[in-house]
Structures are given as C-alpha cells and as structure tokens.
Amino acid sequence: MAAHSAGNPAQASRAPVEVQKVALGDPVNRSRDIAYETDLYCLTLAVYFEGGSTDESEEGQRHIAQVVAERAKANRKIWGGNKICDVVFYKRGKVCQFSFACLAIEKRTARGGKAWAYSMQIARDELEGRSGLEDRLLRYYMNAALTPPKNACRFRKEFVPVVQAGRHEFFREATRAERRALEKAEHEECKKYEASLKKKKQARNTKIAKSARKDAKLAKKTAPAKANNAVTAARKSAVAAAKQAGPAAQKKAAPRAVAKR
C-alpha cells in the first residue's frame, strides 16, 4: 500500500476481488408436515415411556396411544387442550398428566432402538387412523399392580372399566347412574385402602398409648420429689410472710408450718 501511495494515483492498479458465493444449506423441503412430525414425536414419547419401554404388549401400547389422542380430541383444559404435545406434557401444580413427563430430561429422552421404532409405528398408526381399535372413548388407564390403593380405589369409583390390554386396564367416563352404582359397589382396591388406613390408625393409637404409659411412669417417679418441693416451698413462704409481719406473727407462723408437715 505504501508503494502505491508514492506513485501516480492514476497509474495505480487494483487486483480483481474474487467474490465467493455463500454456500446454501440443504434446500427447504416444503412438503414436510412439521405439525404432524411434532405430534408423532410427542405421541411416540407417551407410548414409549408409558408402555413400550416396559415391554407392554402391542395391544396395550395401541390403547395408550388411543387414550392420548382421545384426550386431545376432547379439547379439555384439564387435559391440556387439543394438541397432542400439550396433552402429553400437561402439568398441574407439581403433578404431570403422564408421570414420565415429570422425570428429569435425561430420563425422559429416548435413546432409539427397536422399542422406540416400534412405539413410533404404533403412534403413526393412531394418528393416521390405522390402529384397528374400536372407538370406545377410552380416556383413562391404570396399571393396577403399580397403582397405590388410594388411587386405584378412586378409579374404581369414578370410571367404567372397558378392556384389559397387557398390563393396563382402560376406562371410559361414567354416566351419572353408572357413577352412583360404582360408588356403592365394593371394590377390592377400596378394601385394601381401608385396611391400610385402619392399620395406620392402630399404629398411631399404639404409639400414643405407649407414650402415655411412659409419661405416667415418669410422673409416678417424680411425684414424691414434687411433693417434698411443694412442702419446702410452703414453709419458706410462711417464714417469709412472718418476717414481714413482725415477731408476733413469726411465733404464730412457725407452729402452722409444723402442722402442715
């Protein structure tokens, strides 16, 4: 640059600038249905973690996919609305609609493999209407073996069982008449829950009784000492009062203190 500045500006030459074209990425595929792919992924997550990863049967996985889809179709706020992903990850307070959604991200991230691919195919069949299942408005399911008696009892009293598929039992909502009948019926899970409450109550009462016996025993041991302390305190109080009242009162107070012994 210094050599060009010293010479005649008119004779200065410039090297041609090579313009490099910016390489574009992959061309945009406008045929992709991003909304469908998103729904497919979220539904696959639900099928995989609610059933596929635990070796649930094909029928059980298909019914799980159906429940998720039915909740989205119902478009209820209590279930997350009308989008598959919103339903799958709906959370109220600290409770997730589907338990896996409350796990840490690393624990609810699929690693691929045959089980994932299998769950994805089941999710795809559900979204595209190829599940082969009857439309029975199944919107609830429960794995009785893993459900606490309290929750299982609530299920029995609120929902109508429709089908057992694999490890899960699937339910539909009850009519008013059916709900009354369910509430009056005796359910094994409710008996277990009542028995557990009774056992806890007995354990609590036993603990209270044991504590009461311990306190009574301690009180019995300390009673004589407390009585002696009370007599001594009374004597001191009488003497102090007599001193304040004068010599005549002291003579009267002393016999009374002796009489209380």
Side-chain angles (χ1 to χ4, degrees):
M1 291 183 67
H4 284 293
S5 298
N8 187 351
Q11 295 178 354
S13 62
R14 296 183 179 180
V17 177
E18 183 178 354
V19 179
Q20 295 182 353
K21 294 183 179 181
V22 179
L24 298 177
D26 294 335
V28 178
N29 183 358
R30 301 187 183 281
S31 65
R32 289 182 62 184
D33 187 342
I34 302 301
Y36 171 82
E37 291 180 13
T38 303
D39 288 345
L40 176 62
Y41 179 75
C42 290
L43 186 55
T44 303
L45 281 175
V47 174
Y48 178 78
F49 283 105
E50 292 291 298
S53 62
T54 57
D55 295 327
E56 176 59 282
S57 66
E58 177 185 344
E59 185 183 10
Q61 290 188 58
R62 289 193 182 280
H63 279 87
I64 289 173
Q66 186 182 43
V67 168
V68 177
E70 281 295 330
R71 290 193 178 188
K73 290 177 185 176
N75 191 18
R76 295 183 186 176
K77 187 177 180 180
I78 60 171
W79 288 336
N82 63 352
K83 297 185 182 301
I84 294 289
C85 290
D86 291 342
V87 170
V88 171
F89 289 101
Y90 180 72
K91 183 178 181 180
R92 186 173 183 178
K94 295 183 179 181
V95 180
C96 288
Q97 182 163 219
F98 297 99
S99 57
F100 85 90
C102 275
L103 297 174
I105 294 180
E106 62 271 15
K107 292 185 178 181
R108 58 180 169 87
T109 300
R111 306 300 178 188
K114 292 182 179 179
W116 172 258
Y118 194 72
S119 296
M120 178 172 283
Q121 185 56 53
I122 287 175
R124 182 178 286 109
D125 288 345
E126 177 62 37
L127 293 177
E128 297 178 4
R130 298 192 305 269
S131 69
L133 301 179
E134 297 179 40
D135 185 9
R136 293 177 287 192
L137 295 179
L138 302 182
R139 292 171 177 170
Y140 303 87
Y141 59 84
M142 171 180 68
N143 185 335
L146 301 179
T147 304
K150 180 180 180 179
N151 294 341
C153 177
R154 179 179 65 83
F155 256 71
R156 297 297 181 194
K157 288 187 174 183
E158 291 185 20
F159 311 119
V160 178
V162 177
V163 61
Q164 177 79 39
R167 301 175 181 177
H168 292 82
E169 189 172 0
F170 296 84
F171 302 76
R172 65 170 173 81
E173 290 167 306
T175 63
R176 289 185 179 180
E178 289 172 333
R179 181 70 176 271
R180 287 194 292 269
L182 289 170
E183 289 175 348
K184 293 179 181 178
E186 293 186 0
H187 306 285
E188 189 63 30
E189 289 84 354
C190 295
K191 292 180 181 179
K192 290 181 180 179
Y193 178 53
E194 291 171 1
S196 67
L197 290 179
K198 186 177 180 180
K199 186 176 180 180
K200 288 180 180 179
K201 185 177 180 180
Q202 290 175 342
R204 185 168 59 251
N205 290 340
T206 300
K207 185 177 181 180
I208 292 173
K210 186 176 180 181
S211 178
R213 288 194 299 269
K214 184 177 180 181
D215 292 343
K217 189 176 181 180
L218 181 62
K220 188 176 180 180
K221 288 182 178 180
T222 58
K226 288 183 178 180
N228 291 334
N229 292 339
V231 171
T232 302
R235 288 175 180 174
K236 290 181 178 179
S237 178
V239 171
K243 286 182 179 180
Q244 291 180 357
Q250 290 180 21
K251 293 180 179 180
K252 295 181 179 179
R256 281 200 299 269
V258 172
K260 289 183 181 180
R261 292 178 61 183

